[in-house]
């Protein structure tokens, strides 16, 4: 997988920051976890995989509740524009790729 290649491309640190990507996604599911964090299932907003039955990817926005990014339009079905870092989330022994949201806003197409 390409995320494994990116993960091994480090080391990341001072003077060599971890890459940040951006993209537009549709929120498939969104919920608050840990009282402050927005956990989402996202799907590609356009292009391959954007139709029905598309694959989803996990995303998390730490400190979302009460933060500057909190927005009523960020709910299931909405489109969102993200700046994110790729990371591996390990939960109960299962590793999955996750987008760690550095910045998020409703996409211009959301109403």
């Amino acid at each position: 997988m390409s995320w494994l290649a990116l993960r091994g491309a480090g080391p990341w640190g001072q003077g060599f920051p971890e890459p940040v990507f951006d993209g537009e996604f549709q929120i498939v599911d969104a919920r608050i976890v840990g009282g402050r964090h927005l956990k989402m299932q996202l799907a590609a907003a356009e292009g391959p995989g954007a139709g029905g039955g598309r694959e989803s990817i996990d995303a998390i926005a730490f400190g979302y509740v009460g933060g500057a990014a909190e927005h009523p339009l960020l709910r299931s079905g909405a489109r969102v524009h993200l700046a994110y870092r790729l990371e591996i989330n390990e939960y109960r022994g299962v590793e999955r790729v996750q987008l760690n949201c550095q910045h998020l806003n409703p996409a211009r197409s959301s109403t």
Side-chain angles (χ1 to χ4, degrees), residues 11-96:
W12 314 111
Q14 188 172 358
F16 193 51
E18 196 173 343
V20 176
F21 302 93
D22 80 310
E24 195 168 301
F25 300 88
Q26 183 167 9
I27 300 174
V28 176
D29 184 46
R31 66 187 188 285
I32 302 299
V33 296
R36 297 199 48 195
H37 316 301
L38 179 63
K39 180 76 172 176
M40 298 173 283
Q41 287 275 311
L42 303 174
E46 297 178 2
R54 59 192 158 187
E55 288 189 39
S56 64
I57 189 167
D58 292 335
I60 192 156
F62 289 106
Y64 172 79
V65 174
E70 190 172 2
H71 197 288
L73 290 179
L74 297 178
R75 63 185 185 280
S76 295
R79 288 169 63 129
V80 62
H81 187 245
L82 303 177
Y84 60 91
R85 290 191 166 113
L86 290 174
E87 67 181 21
I88 306 301
N89 181 32
E90 183 178 342
Y91 183 68
R92 296 186 179 179
V94 177
E95 290 185 344
R96 293 187 61 162

